[in-house]
Amino acid sequence: MSTGESTSDITEGTYRALCKHGYADVTMEDIAAETDKSKSALHYHYDSKHDLLVSFFDDLLESFTERLDAVAGESAYDRLLDLIDTILLPPDDDAPDRGFQTAILEMKAQGPYDEAFREHLQTHDRTLRDHVEKHLAAGVENGEFRSDLDVEASADFLVTVFNGAQTRSVAVGRPIEETRETLRAHIDSMIVADGGCQ
């Protein structure tokens, strides 16, 4: 088995183990049980559960960036809406397990205390913000969005809404589709130029 195949197997096993056990309770044994490897084989690749989960964050970020890069649409407006759907409403066959969503929320909560997790969360946040800024700036440039739009502030706001929507969905069960519709209405009323592309 190649190193790439081995890493993929561990990534998929980590996902399944987090779905079942959550962040706090998952062990190297749990992860090994979801792969074709022994616990000692996992320790060959990673010194600790923490190191393995940091690497798992790397894999998540790579997959996340690929999804953002694949956002499509004929206009900046269409691409922004597609980005919203990509973040908030992944396809059914790619929708994360609720147990996994809870585990990720637990991992995010470690950010203030764990430098490695915090650095990954900051990179994730920056990657998303950069993509949002790109679509907003394109819309301003071609006249779809308001000429006086503060692109950076608007991107920060949208990223904050994305994060809040995901957290509320997991923590209190608020339907994420409701946030999506409200967000689309905000874009139409506050970002799209008069006579624009609604």
Side-chain angles (χ1 to χ4, degrees), residues 98-133:
R98 184 162 184 82
F100 179 69
Q101 291 177 315
T102 302
I104 290 298
L105 186 58
E106 291 178 299
M107 292 168 75
K108 287 181 176 180
Q110 303 308 305
Y113 317 104
D114 188 303
E115 183 177 355
F117 280 7
R118 182 167 60 253
E119 288 177 356
H120 279 74
L121 292 168
Q122 288 171 338
T123 300
H124 181 281
D125 185 85
R126 186 166 52 249
T127 298
L128 176 54
R129 192 181 67 238
D130 288 348
H131 278 76
V132 175
E133 282 187 14

Side-chain angles (χ1 to χ4, degrees), residues 25-189:
D25 294 332
V26 74
T27 64
M28 292 290 269
E29 290 91 340
D30 295 328
I31 296 170
E34 297 294 334
T35 72
D36 60 1
K37 295 172 178 53
S38 65
K39 178 184 173 183
S40 60
L42 287 185
H43 278 293
Y44 174 79
H45 293 282
Y46 308 99
D47 291 335
S48 65
K49 180 182 87 168
H50 180 268
D51 289 342
L52 191 157
L53 292 177
V54 169
S55 177
F56 181 68
F57 257 144
D58 279 335
D59 294 335
L60 288 182
L61 179 61
E62 181 178 350
S63 174
F64 179 68
T65 303
E66 289 174 355
R67 288 173 54 212
L68 294 181
D69 288 342
V71 163
E74 294 185 3
S75 65
Y77 176 79
D78 291 338
R79 292 188 294 275
L80 183 60
L81 295 187
D82 191 43
L83 182 142
I84 291 171
D85 288 349
T86 296
I87 300 303
L88 298 182
L89 301 173
D92 289 340
D93 60 353
D94 194 36
D97 177 272
R98 184 162 184 82
F100 179 69
Q101 291 177 315
T102 302
I104 290 298
L105 186 58
E106 291 178 299
M107 292 168 75
K108 287 181 176 180
Q110 303 308 305
Y113 317 104
D114 188 303
E115 183 177 355
F117 280 7
R118 182 167 60 253
E119 288 177 356
H120 279 74
L121 292 168
Q122 288 171 338
T123 300
H124 181 281
D125 185 85
R126 186 166 52 249
T127 298
L128 176 54
R129 192 181 67 238
D130 288 348
H131 278 76
V132 175
E133 282 187 14
K134 177 181 70 174
H135 298 306
L136 290 175
V140 171
E141 183 176 349
N142 65 26
E144 294 177 60
F145 300 156
R146 288 173 30 206
S147 60
D148 63 345
L149 183 70
D150 186 329
V151 170
E152 291 185 5
S154 295
D156 275 335
F157 171 75
L158 292 176
V159 171
T160 299
V161 173
F162 295 150
N163 288 327
Q166 291 165 335
T167 298
R168 291 185 71 196
S169 175
V170 175
V172 300
R174 184 179 193 275
I176 209 161
E177 293 83 359
E178 293 179 10
T179 302
R180 170 182 175 263
E181 292 308 314
T182 301
L183 194 53
R184 289 178 66 127
H186 167 81
I187 289 169
D188 288 345
S189 63

